[in-house]
């Protein structure tokens, strides 16, 4: 294809060919090459004075950077595309760029900006009385609120989208919204509603004889039952999905289902089966030379071996995954892998090494402007510092570690409050409560601040559980309550001593 583009002498045709080559690289997950070809196409269109094509290529450049995880550059190019379309008085295209900007901010974890951009898109669609894209805007707002952990608003927008698509007799889109509602209820922990919504999606797909999306519906049912802890049903649906994709000769989707089966067996504690499924996924990815998903397979193998308590193998796979993501310029995934390496060292009780890797993860997330991830990592770093303090005999060193942990949780709280990351805040408060509990261990029974620490422990735990309760996260609330009960018992024993 590259050779053909060099032989094309008409500039307009060459610009088009360069764009298509970029699309191929984008689909292949090779974002650096994709961006390079989009840029060449844009420059050629610019020389030809074809402003509409220039605006389109700016949007594709943004899409390339978005896929690459380079959100700042992506936002910049989407803005340039939107401004040029605005100069050309192309309202539909302007609205498209607001939609794309919302999606980019969503991926970046900047939910307030995402909502603002999507509302700009919605306003234009309403002015144009573009009912299909009004429904699409409701859908995107649903996705944003879902990612933000604001499930009630998310469900409301998905329902509005579904109802409007239903009025427009767009059965495929109606089914899509049942699928999205199922995913939202699944994340919300409302599994029965999730199953009911997914069965609605499945029924429409079967009426339409839409085999690809029937396979996708089986996959979603598998995810729901997995989250519900009903692993036998989950495996059954994942297997049905994989077999149907296999009949349809969709290798990528087959590989996806091996990956999902591995994740299900991992959660089920069946680690040998999990490894076998993940190796099936890895083999397909290697045949397809799909470097991004090879890195992802290494990551999943790391997770399995970590859960299995085989930390050396886990670290080895995490390192392979991180190195490959680094070669591919996937900085977001590199930052996440630093976190997973840290968590593995934490589980193996090498807290000093874990702290080092948490700090690497924080630094890279900060560089990428990923506030929500930065906040999470500060909290996880603080938890690890608390564990190290618990295992440190020198009381001065232990006290200093707990002081650092408290500062890091306060950093997390500041970011989470500003970004309205309610779920994160819930865990911030419960983590701070547990740090207060650990501080009590270092105090003498005659210490004057002991009562103050007990009050702080109880207040923070109560506040964290209240947030979880408001979010409807009953399972997570139960887990956190168990940790706090253990801490409370320790404190009660301490008070009696």
């Amino acid at each position: 294809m590259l050779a053909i583009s060099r032989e094309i002498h008409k500039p307009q045709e060459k610009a088009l060919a360069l764009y298509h080559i970029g699309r191929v690289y984008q689909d292949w997950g090779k974002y650096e090459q994709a961006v390079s070809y989009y840029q060449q196409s844009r420059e050629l269109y610019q020389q030809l004075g074809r402003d509409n094509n220039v605006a389109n290529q700016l949007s594709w450049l943004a899409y390339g950077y978005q896929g690459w995880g380079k959100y700042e550059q992506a936002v910049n190019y989407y803005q340039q595309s939107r401004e040029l379309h605005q100069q050309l008085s192309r309202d539909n295209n302007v609205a498209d760029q607001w939609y794309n900007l919302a999606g980019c901010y969503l991926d970046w974890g900047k939910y307030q900006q995402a909502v603002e951009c999507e509302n700009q898109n919605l306003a234009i669609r309403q002015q144009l009385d573009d009912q299909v894209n009004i429904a699409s805007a409701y859908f995107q707002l649903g996705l944003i609120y879902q990612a933000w952990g604001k499930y009630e608003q998310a469900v409301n927008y998905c329902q509005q989208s579904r109802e409007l698509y239903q009025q427009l007799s767009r059965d495929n889109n109606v089914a899509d919204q049942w699928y999205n509602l199922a995913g939202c209820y699944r994340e919300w922990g409302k599994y029965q509603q999730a199953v009911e919504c997914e069965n609605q999606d499945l029924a429409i797909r079967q009426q339409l004889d839409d085999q690809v999306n029937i396979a996708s519906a089986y996959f979603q049912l598998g995810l729901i039952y997995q989250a519900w802890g009903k692993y036998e049903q989950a495996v059954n649906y994942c297997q049905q999905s994989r077999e149907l994709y296999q009949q349809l000769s969709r290798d990528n989707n087959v590989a996806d289902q091996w990956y999902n089966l591995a994740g299900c067996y991992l959660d089920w504690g069946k680690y040998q089966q999990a490894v076998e499924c993940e190796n099936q996924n890895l083999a397909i990815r290697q045949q397809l030379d799909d470097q991004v998903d090879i890195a992802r397979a290494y990551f999943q193998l790391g997770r399995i071996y970590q859960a299995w308590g085989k930390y050396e193998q886990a670290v080895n796979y995490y390192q392979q995954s991180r190195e490959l993501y680094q070669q591919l310029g996937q900085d977001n995934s590199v930052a996440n892998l630093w976190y997973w390496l840290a968590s593995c060292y934490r589980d193996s009780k090498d807290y000093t090494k874990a702290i080092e890797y948490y700090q690497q993860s924080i630094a890279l997330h900060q560089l990428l402007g990923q506030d929500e991830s930065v906040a999470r990592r500060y909290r996880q770093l603080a938890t690890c510092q608390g564990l190290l303090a618990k295992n440190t005999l020198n009381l001065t060193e232990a006290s200093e570690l707990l002081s650092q942990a408290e500062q890091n949780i306060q950093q997390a709280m500041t970011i989470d409050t500003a970004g309205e990351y309610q779920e994160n805040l819930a865990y911030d408060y419960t983590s701070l409560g547990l740090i207060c509990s650990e501080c009590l261990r270092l105090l003498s029974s005659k210490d004057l601040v002991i009562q103050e620490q007990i009050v702080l422990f109880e207040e923070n735990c109560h506040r964290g559980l209240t947030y979880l309760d408001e979010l409807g996260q009953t399972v997570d609330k139960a887990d956190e309550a168990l940790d706090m009960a253990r801490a409370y018992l320790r404190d009660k024993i301490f008070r009696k001593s």
Side-chain angles (χ1 to χ4, degrees):
M1 195 169 184
L2 180 57
I4 293 168
S5 78
R6 285 173 180 154
E7 289 171 14
I8 296 171
H9 299 296
K10 291 182 180 178
Q12 192 172 328
E13 289 177 8
K14 186 172 184 180
L16 184 61
L18 289 165
Y19 154 71
H20 282 299
I21 295 168
R23 286 294 307 274
V24 170
Y25 277 116
Q26 175 103 16
D27 292 343
W28 204 2
K30 296 182 181 288
Y31 301 107
E32 192 170 0
Q33 294 95 318
V35 162
S36 172
Y37 281 104
Y38 293 147
Q39 192 69 269
Q40 290 177 65
S41 177
R42 182 189 66 81
E43 287 165 5
L44 202 44
Y45 279 127
Q46 209 150 15
Q47 290 167 26
L48 294 167
R50 297 184 66 89
D51 289 343
N52 183 47
N53 295 105
V54 171
N56 290 336
Q57 288 312 304
L58 286 166
S59 182
W60 280 105
L61 267 167
Y63 187 55
Y65 278 114
Q66 183 179 343
W68 200 356
K70 296 182 182 285
Y71 300 114
E72 202 167 342
Q73 293 97 314
V75 164
N76 178 45
Y77 281 115
Y78 280 134
Q79 291 282 24
Q80 287 186 56
S81 177
R82 182 184 60 76
E83 287 162 11
L84 186 48
H85 280 305
Q86 208 148 15
Q87 289 167 29
L88 298 168
S89 302
R90 297 175 69 91
D91 291 342
N92 262 314
N93 297 102
V94 171
D96 287 342
Q97 297 318 306
W98 282 120
Y99 182 93
N100 292 333
L101 276 161
C104 190
Y105 278 122
L106 165 59
D107 287 354
W108 200 355
K110 295 184 179 285
Y111 304 118
Q112 187 57 52
Q113 292 96 316
V115 167
E116 288 163 9
C117 290
E118 193 49 54
N119 281 330
Q120 292 277 4
N121 169 44
L122 179 58
I124 297 170
R125 302 304 186 183
Q126 287 170 330
Q127 284 166 16
L128 298 171
D129 194 28
D130 181 347
Q131 294 296 303
V132 170
N133 280 308
I134 289 169
S136 177
Y138 290 149
F139 157 63
Q140 174 103 299
L141 284 163
L143 285 183
I144 296 164
Y145 281 111
Q146 180 179 342
W148 206 350
K150 301 190 174 192
Y151 298 112
E152 203 167 340
Q153 293 100 312
V155 164
N156 179 47
Y157 277 113
C158 281
Q159 290 283 24
Q160 286 186 70
S161 179
R162 183 187 60 76
E163 287 162 11
L164 185 48
Y165 279 130
Q166 208 146 14
Q167 290 167 30
L168 299 167
S169 302
R170 293 178 69 98
D171 292 341
N172 261 314
N173 298 111
V174 171
D176 287 342
Q177 293 317 305
W178 282 120
Y179 182 94
N180 294 325
L181 278 161
C184 192
Y185 279 121
R186 170 174 55 81
E187 287 185 19
W188 199 357
K190 295 180 180 284
Y191 303 119
Q192 189 57 52
Q193 291 99 314
V195 168
E196 288 163 8
C197 289
E198 193 46 53
N199 281 330
Q200 293 276 6
D201 168 40
L202 180 59
I204 296 171
R205 302 305 185 182
Q206 287 170 330
Q207 285 166 16
L208 298 171
D209 193 28
D210 181 348
Q211 294 297 303
V212 170
N213 280 308
I214 288 170
S216 179
Y218 290 149
F219 156 63
Q220 174 87 291
L221 284 163
L223 285 182
I224 296 163
Y225 282 111
Q226 181 181 344
W228 205 348
K230 302 191 174 193
Y231 299 114
E232 205 166 338
Q233 293 101 310
V235 164
N236 179 48
Y237 277 113
C238 282
Q239 289 284 23
Q240 286 186 69
S241 180
R242 183 186 60 76
E243 287 162 11
L244 184 48
Y245 279 130
Q246 209 146 15
Q247 290 166 29
L248 298 167
S249 302
R250 294 178 69 97
D251 292 340
N252 261 314
N253 297 111
V254 171
D256 286 340
Q257 292 317 304
W258 281 120
Y259 181 93
N260 294 325
L261 278 162
C264 191
Y265 280 121
L266 164 60
D267 286 355
W268 200 354
K270 294 181 178 282
Y271 303 119
Q272 188 57 51
Q273 292 98 315
V275 167
E276 288 163 9
C277 289
E278 194 48 52
N279 281 329
Q280 292 276 5
N281 169 43
L282 180 58
I284 298 170
R285 301 305 184 183
Q286 287 169 330
Q287 285 165 16
L288 297 171
D289 191 28
D290 182 346
Q291 295 297 302
V292 171
D293 280 311
I294 289 169
R296 189 163 164 252
Y298 290 149
F299 157 67
Q300 176 97 301
L301 284 163
R303 282 188 64 219
I304 296 163
Y305 281 111
Q306 180 180 347
W308 205 348
K310 302 192 174 192
Y311 300 116
E312 199 173 338
Q313 293 101 311
V315 165
N316 179 48
Y317 278 113
Y318 284 147
Q319 290 286 21
Q320 286 185 71
S321 180
R322 183 188 61 77
E323 287 162 11
L324 185 47
Y325 278 130
Q326 209 147 15
Q327 290 167 30
L328 297 167
Q330 299 250 328
D331 292 339
N332 180 49
S333 299
V334 172
N336 287 330
L337 261 299
W338 284 124
Y339 155 71
W340 281 101
L341 278 160
S343 76
C344 192
Y345 280 112
R346 181 204 62 211
D347 287 356
S348 66
K349 302 192 184 332
D350 187 346
Y351 302 120
T352 304
K353 193 77 173 170
I355 286 168
E356 179 192 328
Y357 283 130
Y358 280 127
Q359 287 167 336
Q360 297 248 38
S361 182
I362 288 169
L364 190 45
H365 281 305
Q366 281 175 326
L367 198 64
L368 297 169
Q370 296 174 328
D371 294 342
E372 188 178 14
S373 295
V374 170
R376 273 203 207 102
R377 301 298 177 251
Y378 270 126
R379 183 179 69 249
Q380 289 149 352
L381 171 61
T383 301
C384 195
Q385 287 167 325
L387 289 168
L388 182 55
K390 191 175 181 178
N391 289 274
T392 298
L393 295 175
N394 185 306
L395 294 184
T396 305
E397 288 177 14
S399 181
E400 176 57 29
L401 281 164
L402 290 173
S403 175
Q404 290 170 15
E406 189 174 344
Q407 287 170 29
N408 285 323
I409 290 179
Q410 293 292 355
Q411 288 259 47
M413 283 179 166
T414 300
I415 297 166
D416 289 330
T417 302
E420 294 182 39
Y421 306 131
Q422 299 298 96
E423 189 174 335
N424 275 2
L425 270 172
Y427 295 121
D428 292 341
Y429 280 110
T430 56
S431 296
L432 188 55
L434 294 172
I435 293 296
C436 291
S437 164
E438 200 52 44
C439 287
L440 283 166
R441 189 180 63 84
L442 302 182
L443 296 173
S444 156
S445 58
K446 295 176 182 176
D447 202 307
L448 296 175
V449 299
I450 191 167
Q451 196 57 43
E452 183 185 323
Q453 282 294 324
I454 290 168
V455 169
L456 282 172
F457 162 68
E458 290 174 345
E459 280 180 356
N460 286 312
C461 290
H462 175 73
R463 198 160 179 183
L465 290 174
T466 301
Y467 270 119
L468 286 172
D469 202 35
E470 288 168 0
L471 293 165
Q473 305 220 345
T474 49
V475 175
D476 291 335
K477 182 183 172 185
D479 289 342
E480 293 294 304
L482 190 57
D483 286 341
M484 286 167 206
R486 293 189 188 109
Y488 183 77
L489 286 171
R490 286 201 305 271
D491 298 339
K492 202 170 180 184
I493 291 163
F494 177 85
R495 279 184 251 189
K496 287 180 179 176
S497 62

